[in-house]
Amino acid sequence: MGRKVTVATCCLNQWALDFEGNCERILRSIEEAKAHGAKYRLGPELEICGYGCADHFYESDTLLHSFQVLRNLLESPVTQDIICDVGMPIMHHNVRYNCRILFLNRKILLIRPKMLMANHGNYREVRWFSPWNKLRQVEEYFLPRMIQEVTGQDTVPFGDCVLSTKDTCIGTEICAELWNPDSPHIQMGRDGVEIFTNSSASHHELRKADQRVNLIKAATTKSGGIYLYANQRGCDGDRVYYDGCAMVAINGDVVAQGAQFSLDDVESDFKPCHRVKVDFSLSGCDDVYLPTHQPIEWHFHTPEEEISLGPACWLWDYLRRSGQAGFLLPLSGGVDSSSTACIVHCMCVQLCRAVEGGNSRVLEDVRRVVGDESYHPQDPKELCARVFTTCYMASENSSEDTRNRARDLANQIGSTHMNINIDVAVKGILGIFSAVTGRWPQFRASGGSARENLALQNVQARVRMVLAYLFAQLSLWARGRPGGLLVLGSANVDESLTGYFTKYDCSSADINPIGGISKTDLKRFLLHCAERLQLTALRSILAAPPTAELEPLTDGRVSQTDEADMGMTYSELSVIGRLRKISKCGPFSMFCKLIHTWKDALSPSEVAQKVKRFFRMYSVNRHKMTTVTPSYHAESYSPDDNRFDLRPFLYNASWSWQFRCIDDQVSIIAFLSRSEREKMIRGAARR
């Protein structure tokens, strides 16, 4: 006879090494789970110490403090009469493991180490942890004295095992194990496990949520059962944002869904599995009165909505945890800086909604950031004026059009806006150079060389960076307010691919919310903001051609555009970026794919020219990625050298062998008939 059970999964906004705050959030989630009648509570991966501890996992302090928190949890009356499933690192036989600890009423039931590690993209788990390779094997783990004093246990089971209660059987998966072709739940399901759990630290990428949902639904579609998924939420101290998405699936249907983006810190060959018997039931005698599950329809956010939510939540976590009083952004009136500004505005929208909804913790954090204990935000625009400063940094090469666009957007979002002229600073720096060398460089339009032209552009860009940090440190002081501002960057992922920005210019900032987002998605996001948030100034920004405005104007109008400088469009760059990273294409294989993809618009020789131009720019400018501002990770083709895209930064930029292969192929295609060319292109695409 089937019984009804109440189980709970949650998302927690944990912070790496914030043991006190992490403990408080864990206890609060357990309290909420019990208030809803749950007998089992699942939390996210490594929730006690925080997932993003990185090389702090090497430190014995991290292990010690994790056990101290575990002791607090075991001793707390909040954790009584509910099976608690928490995550922390554990050293067993001098090997460090990423583990789940399951306990009930001051007794540890089992420790389950992670078996399949995440070691790709942003993940480096094998740097700090070893996988448990002993399938279906369990050993005895000797508990530290501080835990023995609470539990009265000397040893507990450690290994690949499951819990067998009086009424059901519970098996554990940890994050990446769900994504593996040989997921543990497959064998556990065949052995009669009925409840599967997954504690995860899965970061947000645009369009990623549907992959999670499909995997979790599939886990119980064939064998049946319940699947609980818990995830980390928020920025725990790094470039990624964990987007929550806790859920429960039963027999292939999602029956409960947590928020994907939220400011809330807590929301609540075949071998048999080794079973740890627990004298406890998840079901009650009166379960006939409990409702049975009903499938729900999962709501997927559009990419534009994801940009308005994920990076905005990431910015808020960074701001409130950094101890700073707001943000400063050099606002040029272009798509990129306007996107950063709109993300800050979206952050303010979410904060006001949270406060209006009665979230006292958000209100407390807002008051601390603005330095006013009696402050109560009235609307996003008014809050934006308190926490966001924008500045238009004009030079003699700036147009009135961009100045007006920046001013109009600042007025509509409510930022405190300044106009700064940088010409005096630029001329002062050039004057120093001239005094030393006796030479004064000229723009190309005035007869200067390409080297002079580039140097004159770079000095403007770098002066803006210096001024941005000066105003970030002192602008609040000048207004009689305490605190400093974080400088925001605004270079998109496509510009990073080609290095189309000045090293140490105003793209060098404290954090960059759009550094992992393509220009194409940013334009869609701005259109979304124009329609949903009534930011009408964005329409003229979207209509204007992207430009750096670093070269002299022609008759008062912009003569320099980004796409002309790069020799390719932003949409073409997005395609190239995905081929380079996701499809793992070098120059020749990329050419072979693109002659098919772009055959209606470009000839093979034109495709070859674009591919070669891209790889030259990429390799010459790759060094810029070693110092790039930490960016919100949003795209799987991000070129971030610090975490995600580990490649050299000193290349032979001639790519002689690779480019010769491309040229040989172009020559062959040129001598073929049209039908033969199309046949060859189709074959190349299949390869």
Side-chain angles (χ1 to χ4, degrees):
M1 173 179 170
R3 310 296 300 181
K4 298 175 186 175
V5 300
T6 304
V7 290
T9 182
C10 63
C11 293
L12 302 184
N13 193 332
Q14 302 297 73
W15 192 1
L17 303 178
D18 178 25
F19 292 97
E20 186 171 354
N22 291 348
C23 182
E24 185 272 333
R25 285 181 284 271
I26 292 169
L27 287 171
R28 188 145 46 98
S29 70
I30 296 170
E31 200 167 28
E32 290 184 13
K34 289 178 68 176
H36 288 84
K39 295 293 185 179
Y40 178 95
R41 174 267 181 198
L42 174 73
E45 188 173 12
L46 293 169
E47 60 190 302
I48 286 179
C49 58
Y51 183 81
C53 293
D55 283 358
H56 288 288
F57 285 123
Y58 291 135
E59 300 167 3
S60 60
D61 283 18
T62 304
L63 299 172
L64 169 65
H65 299 325
S66 294
F67 271 114
Q68 289 170 337
V69 171
L70 179 61
R71 174 171 177 146
N72 287 351
L73 296 175
L74 287 163
E75 291 180 323
S76 172
V78 172
T79 63
Q80 300 304 295
D81 300 321
I82 182 172
I83 295 177
C84 298
D85 187 336
V86 300
M88 60 177 274
I90 285 183
M91 190 81 78
H92 176 56
H93 292 172
N94 290 327
V95 178
R96 193 182 301 102
Y97 295 98
N98 175 349
C99 296
R100 303 302 299 175
I101 295 94
L102 286 80
F103 64 89
L104 169 68
N105 295 337
R106 296 193 173 201
K107 298 290 184 183
I108 294 177
L109 305 174
L110 67 87
I111 300 175
R112 202 294 210 165
K114 192 170 185 176
M115 297 186 291
L116 301 170
M117 312 305 289
N119 203 55
H120 61 280
N122 286 300
Y123 297 105
R124 305 282 184 276
E125 287 185 4
V126 296
R127 180 179 174 93
W128 310 297
F129 301 109
S130 295
W132 180 259
N133 293 320
K134 302 175 182 180
L135 184 68
R136 301 295 182 262
Q137 293 186 39
V138 177
E139 298 176 355
E140 291 298 304
Y141 175 77
F142 284 85
L143 293 170
R145 282 193 294 268
M146 74 171 82
I147 304 299
Q148 292 181 23
E149 292 169 359
V150 177
T151 66
Q153 301 165 287
D154 294 328
T155 64
V156 294
F158 184 103
D160 178 18
C161 53
V162 298
L163 276 188
S164 188
T165 65
K166 290 180 176 181
D167 50 2
T168 189
C169 191
I170 307 169
T172 299
E173 287 189 324
I174 305 176
C175 199
E177 294 173 353
L178 169 65
W179 301 72
N180 192 277
D182 191 22
S183 296
H185 72 257
I186 298 171
Q187 296 293 345
M188 288 191 291
R190 291 172 59 191
D191 194 34
V193 173
E194 296 177 313
I195 299 177
F196 308 93
T197 69
N198 188 301
S199 53
S200 188
S202 179
H203 66 271
H204 171 243
E205 282 183 1
L206 300 182
R207 309 169 180 89
K208 181 181 178 183
D210 60 331
Q211 298 177 46
R212 286 195 203 115
V213 175
N214 290 336
L215 284 169
I216 289 166
K217 289 168 65 176
T220 58
T221 296
K222 290 184 286 187
S223 300
I226 301 171
Y227 201 102
L228 302 179
Y229 177 80
N231 195 18
Q232 163 85 354
R233 166 182 289 157
C235 167
D236 74 343
D238 214 328
R239 292 161 172 79
V240 298
Y241 177 80
Y242 301 98
D243 56 335
C245 277
M247 70 187 86
V248 179
I250 301 178
N251 300 335
D253 294 322
V254 174
V255 299
Q257 170 188 354
Q260 184 175 10
F261 304 100
S262 174
L263 300 179
D264 293 330
D265 283 343
V266 177
E267 192 188 46
S268 270
D269 256 350
F270 179 74
K271 297 179 182 179
C273 299
H274 183 92
R275 281 168 163 76
V276 175
K277 295 182 179 179
V278 184
D279 187 18
F280 187 74
S281 296
L282 271 65
S283 59
C285 297
D286 58 350
D287 63 350
V288 68
Y289 301 108
L290 293 175
T292 55
H293 78 277
Q294 294 296 325
I296 62 172
E297 184 176 349
W298 187 276
H299 171 69
F300 291 104
H301 292 287
T302 65
E304 301 86 68
E305 290 172 333
E306 289 186 294
I307 295 170
S308 73
L309 295 167
C313 291
W314 183 74
L315 281 183
W316 174 238
D317 273 354
Y318 201 99
L319 176 59
R320 70 190 178 108
R321 289 170 169 171
S322 68
Q324 299 302 301
F327 299 114
L328 180 136
L329 171 70
L331 183 59
S332 69
V335 166
D336 295 328
S337 62
S338 298
S339 296
T340 297
C342 287
I343 289 171
V344 176
H345 181 70
C346 290
M347 180 194 80
C348 293
V349 169
Q350 291 191 66
L351 291 174
C352 288
R353 287 175 180 168
V355 171
E356 186 179 351
N359 193 320
S360 59
R361 291 179 181 271
V362 169
L363 178 59
E364 179 184 332
D365 285 335
V366 169
R367 286 173 171 171
R368 187 176 66 252
V369 167
V370 302
D372 184 350
E373 291 302 317
S374 63
Y375 175 65
H376 198 285
Q378 300 301 313
D379 63 75
K381 188 173 181 179
E382 179 264 341
L383 175 58
C384 207
R386 293 246 188 173
V387 300
F388 192 30
T389 298
T390 53
C391 54
Y392 181 82
M393 297 186 180
S395 75
E396 61 186 12
N397 302 317
S398 303
S399 66
E400 281 297 316
D401 290 340
T402 52
R403 183 198 304 268
N404 293 338
R405 288 196 287 266
R407 179 202 62 210
D408 292 345
L409 179 59
N411 288 339
Q412 289 186 6
I413 65 176
S415 65
T416 301
H417 189 64
M418 299 179 289
N419 282 303
I420 305 169
N421 192 291
I422 68 170
D423 286 334
V424 174
V426 171
K427 286 182 170 59
I429 292 173
L430 292 176
I432 295 172
F433 176 82
S434 180
V436 174
T437 65
R439 305 285 299 275
W440 193 282
Q442 300 293 324
F443 280 105
R444 181 165 37 210
S446 301
S449 64
R451 182 169 292 274
E452 293 171 76
N453 194 70
L454 183 58
L456 288 173
Q457 292 183 66
N458 288 345
V459 72
Q460 297 170 73
R462 288 176 175 136
V463 161
R464 287 179 172 131
M465 184 270 287
V466 173
L467 288 172
Y469 274 96
L470 176 65
F471 277 88
Q473 288 180 301
L474 294 180
S475 59
L476 292 185
W477 167 80
R479 290 181 236 158
R481 287 179 52 193
L485 303 174
L486 292 165
V487 179
L488 294 181
S490 56
N492 65 63
V493 69
D494 298 324
E495 289 173 345
S496 297
L497 272 172
T498 59
Y500 185 68
F501 60 90
T502 302
K503 197 175 186 179
Y504 306 120
D505 70 346
C506 58
S507 65
S508 298
D510 292 315
I511 50 175
N512 179 6
I514 69 164
I517 306 175
S518 72
K519 192 83 160 190
T520 303
D521 281 332
L522 289 176
K523 288 182 175 180
R524 291 174 181 154
F525 165 64
L526 290 187
L527 185 59
H528 167 84
C529 290
E531 294 172 350
R532 297 287 183 88
L533 302 177
Q534 302 304 307
L535 301 177
T536 56
L538 294 173
R539 299 194 181 278
S540 61
I541 292 170
L542 284 165
T547 175
E549 285 197 330
L550 295 172
E551 294 190 37
L553 304 175
T554 302
D555 298 326
R557 309 210 42 99
V558 171
S559 59
Q560 177 190 29
T561 64
D562 294 353
E563 293 183 334
D565 280 357
M566 292 188 295
M568 59 194 74
T569 67
Y570 280 106
S571 60
E572 290 171 342
L573 265 178
S574 292
V575 173
I576 286 172
R578 288 181 169 86
L579 288 176
R580 181 198 69 94
K581 177 67 176 178
I582 302 171
S583 300
K584 302 177 177 62
C585 287
F588 182 69
S589 57
M590 184 181 292
F591 165 78
C592 290
K593 288 180 181 295
L594 288 177
I595 55 174
H596 172 75
T597 305
W598 290 346
K599 62 183 174 61
D600 294 332
L602 299 172
S603 68
S605 60
E606 290 171 325
V607 172
Q609 187 177 14
K610 284 187 182 289
V611 169
K612 289 192 283 186
R613 181 172 177 82
F614 166 76
F615 274 97
R616 285 194 192 99
M617 292 178 68
Y618 164 79
S619 54
V620 167
N621 292 318
R622 178 65 185 176
H623 65 94
K624 296 180 181 180
M625 295 310 300
T626 63
T627 60
V628 72
T629 294
S631 301
Y632 179 90
H633 180 85
E635 275 289 1
S636 51
Y637 72 92
S638 167
D640 185 348
D641 174 72
N642 294 281
R643 291 290 189 279
F644 185 68
D645 190 38
L646 305 183
R647 297 170 193 253
F649 60 90
L650 178 61
Y651 283 90
N652 181 345
S654 67
W655 300 88
S656 54
W657 187 282
Q658 296 91 330
F659 287 1
R660 185 165 61 250
C661 290
I662 293 175
D663 292 338
D664 290 346
Q665 196 68 39
V666 170
S667 298
I668 293 171
I669 295 173
F671 286 102
L672 299 175
S673 66
R674 181 174 179 180
S675 60
E676 290 172 324
R677 281 200 301 270
E678 290 179 351
K679 183 178 180 181
M680 175 171 281
I681 288 172
R682 286 195 296 271
R686 284 194 294 271
R687 289 198 297 275

